[in-house]
Amino acid sequence: MSIELWYWPDIPGRGEFVRLFMEGAEIEYEDMAREQDADALVEHMHALDGIRPFAPPYIVDGDLCIGQTAHILAYLSDKYGLGSGELETDLQLIQLQLDISDLISEVHSVHHPIASSLYYADQMDAAFERAQEFRANRIPKFLIHFDNAMAVHGGPYSLGQQWTHVDTSLFQVMEGLDYMFPNYMKKMQGTWANLEGLQAALPEIDGVADYLASERRMEFNEDGIFRHYEELDEQ
Amino acid sequence: MSIELWYWPDIPGRGEFVRLFMEGAEIEYEDMAREQDADALVEHMHALDGIRPFAPPYIVDGDLCIGQTAHILAYLSDKYGLGSGELETDLQLIQLQLDISDLISEVHSVHHPIASSLYYADQMDAAFERAQEFRANRIPKFLIHFDNAMAVHGGPYSLGQQWTHVDTSLFQVMEGLDYMFPNYMKKMQGTWANLEGLQAALPEIDGVADYLASERRMEFNEDGIFRHYEELDEQ
């Protein structure tokens, strides 16, 4: 039985972290709301009983319904035996995935510093200040952390020659930041060499290569998490 | 061998979620930076090798070093057999704990909407707007979600008569919101009856009662995550 993925159909967003991992690992899944529409997702989510996900993405695997991106990835990695097979390292990979979740939340609040319920246009001044601080302090702090982590097993992947859920997520982070802040990321080129190495190496994985060349791969856009607004980039 | 807890010594912050669970479960631990000071924490953190925590809190348990609050709690709950003993429910509890992490990040960004590196006084205008939106939309959305989850097993705890890491964390969330927004929370009294029931029931647990009466329990303060600024509360 294939995994059901439930996520908003028109943005890569957090769903893309789950999708990219399943594509790389060639796990069979159905992209439910893309086969139907956003209404089907809302309807499905409201019909769930018991302890429900707070928000998409979530997956349904037989009787199990699992929300929270990092949690989904830890579950799938474990189920399909795609971790290190060693407790200490597997815990560290989950920890890194949770660090990535924190970064992604901060990325979203760059263009929505006041309220996710308001339009970007209604919080542009605060977003401008927030973006400056984010580029100056937060991106370097997070990416140095991830770059160091990538060096631990020698690269190019998080476990050396073996890739994990951390690698597909960090690839998506680097692609997203390149889209969001092209000037800034170009200026910083070479600073996070291990992450750039990963970014180059990940598309060599068969499942990833097929996926990136397919229509299933969605482009970043200004309704998602990584958004390009020229005024928020390095000038 | 007891667990080492590493967290900033002068704020409850995220460390308190780990502390409260270990106290409730009567797990032996050492509160390392409170026995020493913040410098000892910084020094210890920088001396760690391999894949390191991004930020405190983290625990050291023999050879294992584990960061990220929700991850630490999932690990401890599993190690000491304090979950449901059933995969589906244990996964749901971790998922809820991750939802709590999301709420806590949003709580922090209420008083620091522009930059965590700037003082509150330098971002008060944005914080004022952010707080209004947070009270109007985000608190209700999160607390209704948690209130519904608490009803699933009949209460007063997340597994009915059995409490888990989710209960100590939701107790801390409710205490924190009462401290941060006393007028708002008073106005909303009765809206989240299951959470209020939990808030009343948790101090009846022996380990929790001992802890809350001890000097180990720290008061909320304006360097932590839940901060009381009168101007951010309901007027």
Side-chain angles (χ1 to χ4, degrees):
Chain A
M1 194 167 48
S2 71
I3 305 283
E4 289 183 10
L5 168 65
W6 288 92
Y7 192 66
W8 305 114
D10 300 317
I11 57 169
R14 286 180 173 85
E16 190 64 14
F17 292 83
V18 180
R19 204 177 278 124
L20 192 53
F21 177 71
M22 292 196 292
E23 294 276 358
E26 300 178 45
I27 294 169
E28 209 185 311
Y29 73 98
E30 280 186 83
D31 208 334
M32 305 300 287
R34 282 180 86 182
E35 290 169 14
Q36 304 171 63
D37 55 21
D39 289 345
L41 166 58
V42 172
E43 208 175 298
H44 184 267
M45 192 162 43
H46 285 152
L48 293 169
D49 53 17
I51 295 176
R52 307 192 299 188
F54 183 67
Y58 59 91
I59 61 167
V60 175
D61 181 18
D63 288 340
L64 298 178
C65 175
I66 301 170
Q68 284 279 358
T69 309
H71 194 37
I72 296 168
L73 291 170
Y75 169 80
L76 290 173
S77 177
D78 187 57
K79 170 170 174 149
Y80 292 99
L82 299 169
S84 69
E86 201 246 322
L87 178 68
E88 180 176 7
T89 305
D90 283 345
L91 290 174
Q92 289 172 342
L93 294 174
I94 296 172
Q95 177 185 306
L96 281 171
Q97 192 66 246
L98 290 165
D99 297 337
I100 294 168
S101 294
D102 287 346
L103 169 58
I104 295 165
S105 293
E106 292 196 22
V107 165
H108 187 267
S109 69
V110 166
H111 45 79
H112 281 74
I114 303 297
S116 50
S117 61
L118 295 176
Y119 289 111
Y120 166 63
D122 295 329
Q123 47 195 316
M124 275 180 75
D125 292 347
F128 184 78
E129 279 187 81
R130 178 110 180 68
Q132 283 186 301
E133 140 75 18
F134 188 68
R135 283 186 273 106
N137 296 316
R138 300 303 286 172
I139 297 184
K141 187 170 175 179
F142 273 105
L143 294 196
I144 289 164
H145 172 67
F146 296 132
D147 200 65
N148 288 340
M150 291 304 293
V152 169
H153 296 278
Y157 301 122
S158 54
L159 297 180
Q161 292 304 310
Q162 187 193 337
W163 67 276
T164 70
H165 59 88
V166 166
D167 299 288
T168 42
S169 292
L170 286 177
F171 172 83
Q172 182 67 5
V173 163
M174 293 301 284
E175 294 284 305
L177 291 174
D178 282 347
Y179 175 79
M180 192 168 178
F181 301 118
N183 296 343
Y184 170 81
M185 289 299 278
K186 198 169 175 194
K187 192 189 82 174
M188 299 301 280
Q189 209 161 21
T191 313
W192 307 296
N194 297 313
L195 292 175
E196 288 168 11
L198 164 66
Q199 203 178 358
L202 200 88
E204 291 166 18
I205 297 164
D206 287 346
V208 174
D210 285 354
Y211 174 57
L212 295 179
S214 77
E215 285 185 4
R216 299 191 302 285
R217 172 72 170 178
M218 231 180 296
E219 296 196 359
F220 292 104
N221 64 55
E222 278 55 68
D223 293 315
I225 290 175
F226 293 99
R227 302 187 187 188
H228 178 60
Y229 296 120
E230 232 178 283
E231 61 276 17
L232 300 188
D233 194 6
E234 190 94 14
Q235 297 305 311
Chain B
M1 194 167 47
S2 71
I3 305 284
E4 288 182 12
L5 169 64
W6 289 91
Y7 193 66
W8 305 113
D10 301 316
I11 57 169
R14 287 181 173 83
E16 190 64 14
F17 291 84
V18 180
R19 205 177 278 124
L20 192 53
F21 177 70
M22 293 197 290
E23 294 275 358
E26 301 179 42
I27 294 170
E28 209 183 310
Y29 73 100
E30 280 186 83
D31 208 335
M32 304 301 287
R34 282 179 86 184
E35 290 170 14
Q36 304 171 61
D37 55 21
D39 289 345
L41 166 59
V42 172
E43 207 174 297
H44 184 266
M45 191 162 44
H46 285 152
L48 294 169
D49 53 17
I51 295 175
R52 307 191 299 187
F54 183 67
Y58 59 90
I59 62 167
V60 175
D61 181 16
D63 287 340
L64 298 177
C65 174
I66 301 170
Q68 283 279 359
T69 309
H71 194 36
I72 296 169
L73 291 170
Y75 169 79
L76 291 173
S77 177
D78 187 57
K79 169 169 175 150
Y80 292 98
L82 299 168
S84 69
E86 201 246 322
L87 178 68
E88 181 177 8
T89 306
D90 284 344
L91 290 174
Q92 289 172 341
L93 294 174
I94 295 172
Q95 178 185 307
L96 282 171
Q97 192 65 244
L98 290 165
D99 296 338
I100 294 168
S101 293
D102 286 346
L103 169 58
I104 295 165
S105 292
E106 291 196 22
V107 165
H108 187 267
S109 70
V110 166
H111 45 78
H112 282 76
I114 304 297
S116 50
S117 61
L118 295 175
Y119 289 109
Y120 166 63
D122 295 329
Q123 48 194 314
M124 276 180 75
D125 291 348
F128 184 77
E129 279 187 81
R130 179 109 179 69
Q132 283 186 301
E133 140 75 18
F134 188 69
R135 283 186 273 106
N137 296 317
R138 300 304 284 172
I139 298 184
K141 186 169 177 181
F142 273 106
L143 294 196
I144 289 164
H145 172 67
F146 295 132
D147 200 66
N148 287 340
M150 291 304 294
V152 169
H153 295 278
Y157 301 122
S158 54
L159 298 180
Q161 292 304 310
Q162 186 194 337
W163 67 275
T164 70
H165 59 88
V166 166
D167 300 287
T168 43
S169 292
L170 286 177
F171 171 83
Q172 183 66 6
V173 162
M174 293 301 283
E175 295 284 306
L177 291 174
D178 282 347
Y179 174 79
M180 191 168 180
F181 300 118
N183 296 344
Y184 170 81
M185 290 299 277
K186 199 169 174 194
K187 192 189 82 175
M188 298 301 280
Q189 210 161 20
T191 313
W192 308 297
N194 297 313
L195 293 175
E196 289 168 12
L198 165 65
Q199 205 178 355
L202 200 87
E204 290 167 17
I205 296 164
D206 287 347
V208 173
D210 286 354
Y211 174 56
L212 295 179
S214 76
E215 285 185 1
R216 299 191 301 285
R217 173 71 170 178
M218 231 181 293
E219 298 197 356
F220 292 105
N221 65 55
E222 278 54 68
D223 293 314
I225 291 174
F226 293 99
R227 303 187 187 187
H228 178 60
Y229 297 119
E230 233 177 283
E231 61 276 16
L232 300 188
D233 194 3
E234 190 96 13
Q235 298 305 309

